[in-house]
Amino acid sequence: MTDPAPSLPELIEWLAGDECHAATDTAMLAELGRRLRALGLPIDRMSLHLRTLHPQILAHTLAWTEGEPVAQLDRDNSIERLPFFATNPIRRATESRTWLNLATPAEMAGLEELDFFQGRALRAAIVAPMVMSHGPASAVVFATRRPEGFPPADRAVFERLVPALRGACEIRLLRLAEATVLDTYVGPITGRRVLDGHIRRGDVETLDAALLLCDLRDFTVLSNRLPPEQMLDRLNLYFDQLVPAITTGGGEVLKFMGDAVLAFFHLDDGAVASCAAAFDAARLALDRIHSASQAGTPLSAGVALHHGEVAYGNIGSGGRLDFTVIGRDVNLVSRIQTVCATTGEPLLMSPRFASLLGRPGCRSIGPHPLKGFAEPLDLFAWNPG
């Protein structure tokens, strides 16, 4: 016995229900396509173009065709610079917030410039904007190979369906936006803690971590000499060398403090692994900064490394909090970093860090007084020999 044909109200109810809510993006689109075909709609290609709140990604896009896996792609912002994008039907629909009925080869040509629609012999399409409660509109595209396109009855189904689909997509976009904003501004590890409910002032845990503090040299001189636009370009070039080295090594960037970056490494494998990861990230970052300087943009930096205990959590006042690390060892790595500038050493380590690292290239540069600390500290540089 076959399942009875679904009805449109049942489909709309499904979009608002728990099953759809729990499904992945690809599973939701695949099930939506299956249900629409079961209603008798001649959809040969359906796609979602979900605008994201992301510094690099313009939209999260997915496309479905019966019998094929759902394709998905994050489109970066560079697509906006491509000549065809200015008049692309999806862009026109989202910016004008009006439905488009593409029924001629000339009208379809603009759509078929997008990879999701190329080479599929599509003859007609409906592009429907999905206007969210805030931010730019997203869109859904229903396309068919039928020469006559979609009759008025089919369009009436889409008009009833799209508000429910918009609601289901908006929930997904809100989930994505909250994770993206937290990843962008506080980092993925800290972001997960915030989403897990660690949001009250004083909600702090103590952890052992390798600390990395990197500072751009001569920043004040450069700031006084260069126009703001050039200084920002130089800062961003510097961060582009430093931050990926930290994050790919398993570190978390906690703070951008002007030209300085504070990061920590707290790997599951323990202190030795955390120090090794922090050291490798520091070396990679310095190599990349040197290469950028050799390419024509003078840059140099100093990195301090230390391993110790930090208080990790929320500080602040009322409803304005900061998720950070504080403690004696954070102060210590900051003081070590100042010695990088006075000695000209690009990389300095505390005795504890050098001991945990355990590599033969570590060499003592002798004891150095550190502001706020009673005793001078024997610091270690890197000399691979």
Side-chain angles (χ1 to χ4, degrees):
M1 181 176 178
T2 60
D3 293 334
S7 67
L8 180 57
E10 288 173 337
L11 174 51
I12 292 171
E13 183 178 351
W14 173 80
L15 282 169
D18 291 342
E19 181 185 340
C20 179
H21 182 75
T24 64
D25 292 349
T26 55
M28 181 198 76
L29 188 61
E31 181 62 12
L32 176 61
R34 185 193 71 78
R35 288 172 178 254
L36 286 171
R37 290 285 294 191
L39 284 173
L41 293 163
I43 299 173
D44 296 302
R45 194 64 163 164
M46 176 174 60
S47 64
L48 291 174
H49 305 263
L50 306 177
R51 288 295 300 269
T52 59
L53 184 63
H54 193 284
Q56 296 171 303
I57 298 170
L58 179 72
H60 179 53
T61 57
L62 304 102
W64 170 87
T65 290
E66 189 174 38
E68 296 182 14
V70 172
Q72 57 180 331
L73 178 68
D74 287 334
R75 299 196 185 276
D76 65 45
N77 293 322
S78 63
I79 194 173
E80 293 185 300
R81 297 192 294 271
L82 298 178
F84 81 88
F85 191 71
T87 57
N88 185 268
I90 296 170
R91 180 172 185 172
R92 286 192 286 118
T94 56
E95 290 188 350
S96 66
R97 303 193 172 192
T98 57
W99 288 53
L100 298 182
N101 184 32
L102 311 179
T104 68
E107 291 171 337
M108 288 295 294
L111 187 67
E112 289 170 342
E113 287 184 290
L114 276 176
D115 44 16
F116 278 176
F117 301 97
Q118 291 172 359
R120 293 185 171 271
L122 299 169
R123 303 291 294 272
I126 289 176
V127 184
M130 295 190 292
V131 181
M132 309 302 182
S133 56
H134 62 84
S138 295
V140 57
V141 178
F142 307 101
T144 182
R145 296 190 184 99
R146 291 202 321 188
E148 62 271 28
F150 294 106
D154 290 349
R155 170 153 179 155
V157 171
F158 296 143
E159 288 175 347
R160 290 186 60 190
L161 173 77
V162 166
L165 179 59
R166 176 190 62 203
C169 290
E170 185 159 24
I171 291 172
R172 294 167 185 275
L173 286 174
L174 287 172
R175 290 181 201 157
L176 180 61
E178 68 180 10
T180 299
V181 168
L182 288 170
D183 284 359
T184 301
Y185 289 99
V186 302
I189 298 172
T190 304
R192 283 195 296 271
R193 286 187 57 78
V194 172
L195 289 176
D196 286 342
H198 299 277
I199 58 172
R200 293 184 180 180
R201 186 174 70 169
D203 192 351
V204 173
E205 68 170 308
T206 300
L207 56 84
D208 292 327
L211 301 171
L212 180 154
L213 181 61
C214 183
D215 189 68
L216 180 66
R217 290 183 176 158
D218 300 322
F219 176 70
T220 302
V221 174
L222 290 172
S223 297
N224 292 335
R225 182 167 57 85
L226 295 176
E229 296 81 5
Q230 290 185 28
M231 192 63 237
L232 284 173
D233 287 344
R234 187 163 298 194
L235 263 180
N236 286 329
L237 176 63
Y238 156 66
F239 290 139
D240 280 343
Q241 315 317 308
L242 174 60
V243 172
I246 293 170
T247 56
T248 56
E252 175 97 339
V253 173
L254 273 172
K255 297 290 175 194
F256 291 94
M257 301 171 291
D259 61 319
V261 170
L262 174 63
F264 76 94
F265 293 74
H266 179 65
L267 274 61
D268 292 339
D269 292 335
V272 172
S274 296
C275 288
F279 177 79
D280 291 340
R283 290 295 313 281
L284 176 59
L286 289 170
D287 287 346
R288 292 180 57 160
I289 289 168
H290 177 72
S291 296
S293 185
Q294 294 293 101
T297 303
L299 292 172
S300 64
V303 180
L305 296 168
H306 174 54
H307 188 278
E309 184 179 87
V310 297
Y312 176 51
N314 287 291
I315 62 170
S317 174
R320 181 61 178 91
L321 303 178
D322 188 20
F323 214 109
T324 188
V325 291
I326 58 173
R328 176 188 181 278
D329 290 305
V330 179
N331 298 333
L332 181 59
V333 77
S334 176
R335 298 308 184 201
I336 295 172
Q337 205 290 319
T338 62
V339 182
C340 290
T342 59
T343 61
E345 293 285 354
L347 191 155
L348 288 177
M349 298 168 270
S350 70
R352 173 166 172 75
F353 188 97
S355 175
L356 287 167
L357 184 65
R359 298 191 186 183
C362 298
R363 62 175 174 86
S364 171
I365 63 168
H368 284 74
L370 302 177
K371 183 179 179 181
F373 291 85
E375 300 293 332
L377 189 67
D378 192 20
L379 299 179
F380 290 78
W382 173 248
N383 182 13

